[in-house]
Structures are given as C-alpha cells and as structure tokens.
Amino acid sequence: MIESKLISKALFTDKSFNNLEELLVQTGIKSYASMEQTHSNEIAHVNKSGTYKSDGIFTSSKNLGLVVKTADCMPIFLKDKISIGAVHVGWKGVKNKIINNALKNFKLNELLMSVGPHAQSCCYEVKEDVSKYLYKYIDKRDGKEYLNMSQSLLDLSYKIGFNIEVSSICTICSSSYNSYRENKTSKRQYGFIWL
C-alpha cells in the first residue's frame, strides 16, 4: 500500500490487497462512493454512498470515502481546502480532457493532485489509433510508440500552478500490480481518499 505524500488521507493499494471492506475498517470510514468507469469524461458531485455513472467523483462530505479502481489507467486524487475528488483516467480520458472537467470543481490555487501507479511510457505501447490524438505524449523507441499519460497532468500543473505528485511505478512491468494490458485480468487496485 502506498500513502500519498501530498494528500494526507489518500492511499493506493497493490494487488495483494483485494478487500475494500478492510480499507474502511483501517481508515474508520463507514461508507464510500465509487464509479462505473466507462472511459467517459463525466464528473459527478456525490454526498452519499453508491456507484455513480461517471469516471470522476468529488465531495465535501466527511466520512464518505471515494474509490477509484484501476489496472493500468491513472488513479488520480484531487484535494483543496473543502473538497476531495477521485478520477479514473486512461488514454481516452486524456484525449477527452476529463481532468479539465474535474478541475472546474476545485480552487486551483489550493489544489493538490496525487497520481498513483499506472501504465508508464516504459511499457505502454500504443498504435496510431491512439498516438494520432496524443502525439504530444508519445515516446518513440525502436520504431514503436509509447504513451506517457501522466505528462499531460505535469504539463497542466506547470500551466496552472497546482502541486502534483506522480508515482513512477508502472503497473505493466511491476509484478506487484494488476495490469489489464499485461494479462487481461479482471482484478483491480484500489485508490481511496477521504476527508
């Protein structure tokens, strides 16, 4: 389990941890909200437990944890002085600027962003159907193209001026993490944030 260094009540699990109820016990949080995660650019404001039709959720309710599930996509946490958010971002989310939609719900001069383990450019090979949209974030090696998803967030942080931390762990090449690209697993890591 990795605790965010930037956001005090935020953590990312690895594949050894597969019981969400255990997280609730460890953190003392009684309920949580999660997302359907369909690679949309929808953000939902939530104030009670449930599964929301979105790829991003935010709340200012205490004792309501927010959950994001990933197995190569970026699990992203957002926090300002009032609200927290959890966002699920894959290449479609980068293309459709879901994070820009999420940022509309936060005070940018107070914003903290934490990005957990995800597919990194060391391993995340893509074809022209992806690279044609995200060419600014493509690393080319040996005639192949590799996507650096988190660079889009670093660029945004530089432009807007919020604080960001990005995990250097690649879910594809680290055996400690579930990776859909590696073996089509249905298992996921959890990201969990609370107030």
Side-chain angles (χ1 to χ4, degrees):
M1 189 151 9
I2 301 171
E3 293 183 11
S4 168
K5 293 182 179 75
L6 202 55
I7 300 173
S8 61
K9 295 178 179 176
L11 48 86
F12 303 99
T13 68
D14 59 24
K15 73 178 183 184
S16 69
F17 198 101
N18 54 20
N19 186 341
L20 196 50
E21 301 306 316
E22 234 178 272
L23 275 180
L24 297 177
V25 171
Q26 282 184 20
T27 59
I29 299 298
K30 302 282 188 257
S31 60
Y32 67 90
S34 62
M35 303 163 271
E36 286 186 5
Q37 299 186 187
T38 59
H39 298 281
S40 70
N41 65 351
E42 298 296 317
I43 306 293
H45 177 253
V46 303
N47 54 26
K48 61 183 180 182
S49 62
T51 302
Y52 293 83
K53 192 174 182 178
S54 67
D55 281 80
I57 48 179
F58 71 100
T59 191
S60 52
S61 299
K62 291 196 184 262
N63 297 315
L64 178 67
L66 303 181
V67 175
V68 57
K69 295 174 275 190
T70 56
D72 288 329
C73 291
M74 293 186 290
I76 301 173
F77 293 141
L78 307 167
K79 184 180 187 309
D80 63 17
K81 288 181 180 164
I82 296 169
S83 301
I84 55 171
V87 189
H88 163 257
V89 182
W91 75 263
K92 289 180 183 174
V94 175
K95 174 186 173 251
N96 295 322
K97 300 187 182 328
I98 186 174
I99 208 68
N100 297 65
N101 290 350
L103 293 183
K104 294 172 187 172
N105 303 290
F106 291 86
K107 292 188 175 175
L108 298 181
N109 62 335
E110 300 173 356
L111 183 67
L112 304 174
M113 182 184 289
S114 183
V115 184
H118 60 279
Q120 308 267 356
S121 61
C122 55
C123 299
Y124 193 178
E125 185 182 350
V126 295
K127 303 292 184 202
E128 199 265 340
D129 62 328
V130 173
S131 64
K132 70 181 177 185
Y133 297 113
L134 303 173
Y135 55 89
K136 285 177 20 181
Y137 310 117
I138 295 294
D139 297 338
K140 294 184 178 183
R141 296 190 308 274
D142 303 323
K144 295 179 179 178
E145 297 181 315
Y146 297 87
L147 180 59
N148 185 341
M149 287 192 291
S150 56
Q151 187 60 50
S152 63
L153 304 173
L154 293 166
D155 289 354
L156 201 56
S157 165
Y158 181 75
K159 181 179 174 185
I160 295 173
F162 58 82
N163 287 319
I164 186 172
E165 67 174 350
V166 178
S167 172
S168 61
I169 297 170
C170 176
T171 51
I172 298 173
C173 65
S174 171
S175 60
S176 298
Y177 291 84
N178 296 304
S179 170
Y180 181 80
R181 286 184 71 90
E182 178 69 15
N183 56 27
K184 304 288 189 246
T185 182
S186 60
K187 295 179 179 176
R188 299 293 182 262
Q189 282 80 238
Y190 296 110
F192 194 67
I193 185 171
W194 68 102
L195 279 169

